Amino acid sequence: MLAAAKSLGLVLLAAYVFYDSFAAALFLIPAGVFYMTDCVADLEEKKEREFLGQFRDGIQAVAAGLKAGYSVENAIRGAGRDIEPLYSEEKRIRREFGHMVRQLDMNMNAGTVLEQFAERTKQEDVENFVHVFAAAKKSGGDSIAIIRNSVRLISERIDTEKEIRTMIASQKLEFDIMCAVPFAIILYMKMTFGEFLGTLYGNTAGICVMTICLLLYAAAYRLGRKIIQIEV
């Protein structure tokens, strides 16, 4: 709903700024759909990054339990209790650990519980942790040490990604400002030099010029998004 509202607002603003007519918004609906898709993707990415931070705290609590000599099952139960003061009940990690604890109370195998956890989350780091856990159990070696080492590596990777996101946050803010600047300039000129821009509205030549400007703006927006999107 938030993405749809932002897309509608952008479409109406673009129609007014570039064509001086809200009726032109009908022709800009495809652009609004693309923008809404980007907004939804950004919101999903934000939620996934938030969950990764929660997952890091969860598996660190599991590793602490293993270090204290708990079995994997009891370490998961203990981690569920440890994260309760950190996150509210509606947080995803609380729901996931609560679900795993209930499964363990039903005498389900810890490996199966973790595999189902990975299937629900569909997160690469979660899947890596589960794969390491399964391999450690099959190897018959020091599985506790292997799991703890895996937790350390995954936690370091998540922390590194968080640091990179923090470093490029200023560039993302600059990108957002640059996206707003063309609208601000045209709106300012419409309010202060309305006669100067009047020749660009209500005639074929002006519509063509503004359409070209809008297409160039859209191309620059897409290029900018690709530049600031960094996969870790």
Side-chain angles (χ1 to χ4, degrees), residues 122-136:
K122 294 181 172 58
Q123 280 278 357
E124 180 182 358
D125 290 307
V126 179
E127 293 174 352
N128 290 339
F129 174 73
V130 173
H131 291 161
V132 169
F133 174 83

Side-chain angles (χ1 to χ4, degrees), residues 68-122:
Y70 294 159
S71 65
V72 176
E73 290 81 1
N74 288 331
I76 294 175
R77 291 188 176 95
R81 293 190 297 269
D82 291 341
I83 64 174
E84 286 182 1
L86 301 177
Y87 300 104
S88 56
E89 293 184 2
E90 66 271 9
K91 293 299 182 181
R92 185 177 177 185
I93 195 66
R94 285 281 304 273
R95 298 197 304 268
E96 292 293 349
F97 265 90
H99 186 68
M100 287 191 290
V101 169
R102 287 192 295 272
Q103 289 179 313
L104 292 174
D105 291 340
M106 296 171 62
N107 295 324
M108 290 184 64
N109 179 272
T112 303
V113 170
L114 289 173
E115 287 177 359
Q116 293 183 4
F117 173 48
E119 291 175 359
R120 290 193 303 272
T121 59
K122 294 181 172 58

Side-chain angles (χ1 to χ4, degrees), residues 1-218:
M1 292 177 63
L2 177 62
K6 291 176 63 176
S7 300
L8 178 60
L10 179 65
V11 166
L12 293 174
L13 179 62
Y16 174 72
V17 169
F18 286 91
Y19 300 105
D20 196 31
S21 172
F22 290 114
L26 295 175
F27 301 97
L28 297 177
I29 289 178
V33 172
F34 280 112
Y35 180 74
M36 184 173 68
T37 303
D38 289 341
C39 289
V40 171
D42 290 341
L43 292 172
E44 290 179 347
E45 182 183 1
K46 181 179 178 181
K47 291 179 65 176
E48 293 301 326
R49 289 201 306 268
E50 180 182 357
F51 174 72
L52 281 180
Q54 300 170 2
F55 172 68
R56 176 201 59 200
D57 294 337
I59 59 175
Q60 286 178 347
V62 171
L66 295 175
K67 186 177 181 179
Y70 294 159
S71 65
V72 176
E73 290 81 1
N74 288 331
I76 294 175
R77 291 188 176 95
R81 293 190 297 269
D82 291 341
I83 64 174
E84 286 182 1
L86 301 177
Y87 300 104
S88 56
E89 293 184 2
E90 66 271 9
K91 293 299 182 181
R92 185 177 177 185
I93 195 66
R94 285 281 304 273
R95 298 197 304 268
E96 292 293 349
F97 265 90
H99 186 68
M100 287 191 290
V101 169
R102 287 192 295 272
Q103 289 179 313
L104 292 174
D105 291 340
M106 296 171 62
N107 295 324
M108 290 184 64
N109 179 272
T112 303
V113 170
L114 289 173
E115 287 177 359
Q116 293 183 4
F117 173 48
E119 291 175 359
R120 290 193 303 272
T121 59
K122 294 181 172 58
Q123 280 278 357
E124 180 182 358
D125 290 307
V126 179
E127 293 174 352
N128 290 339
F129 174 73
V130 173
H131 291 161
V132 169
F133 174 83
K137 284 294 185 181
K138 291 180 180 179
S139 67
D142 189 354
S143 59
I144 301 299
I146 295 174
I147 294 172
R148 285 169 53 195
N149 185 58
S150 172
V151 169
R152 179 180 61 82
L153 294 175
I154 292 175
S155 298
E156 289 178 354
R157 178 189 179 280
I158 294 174
D159 290 337
T160 300
E161 181 178 359
K162 184 178 180 180
E163 291 177 1
I164 293 175
R165 299 292 180 187
T166 302
M167 292 172 61
I168 66 174
S170 59
Q171 281 71 32
K172 288 188 174 183
L173 178 60
E174 292 175 0
F175 172 72
D176 292 337
I177 294 174
M178 291 175 64
C179 288
V181 165
F183 289 95
I185 291 176
I186 298 177
L187 283 173
Y188 173 77
M189 295 186 66
K190 281 175 67 68
M191 289 186 295
T192 56
F193 303 100
E195 298 82 4
F196 177 76
L197 290 180
T199 56
L200 293 175
Y201 300 119
N203 59 81
T204 303
I207 291 175
C208 291
V209 170
M210 294 304 260
T211 300
I212 292 174
C213 292
L214 185 58
L215 291 174
L216 291 174
Y217 173 85

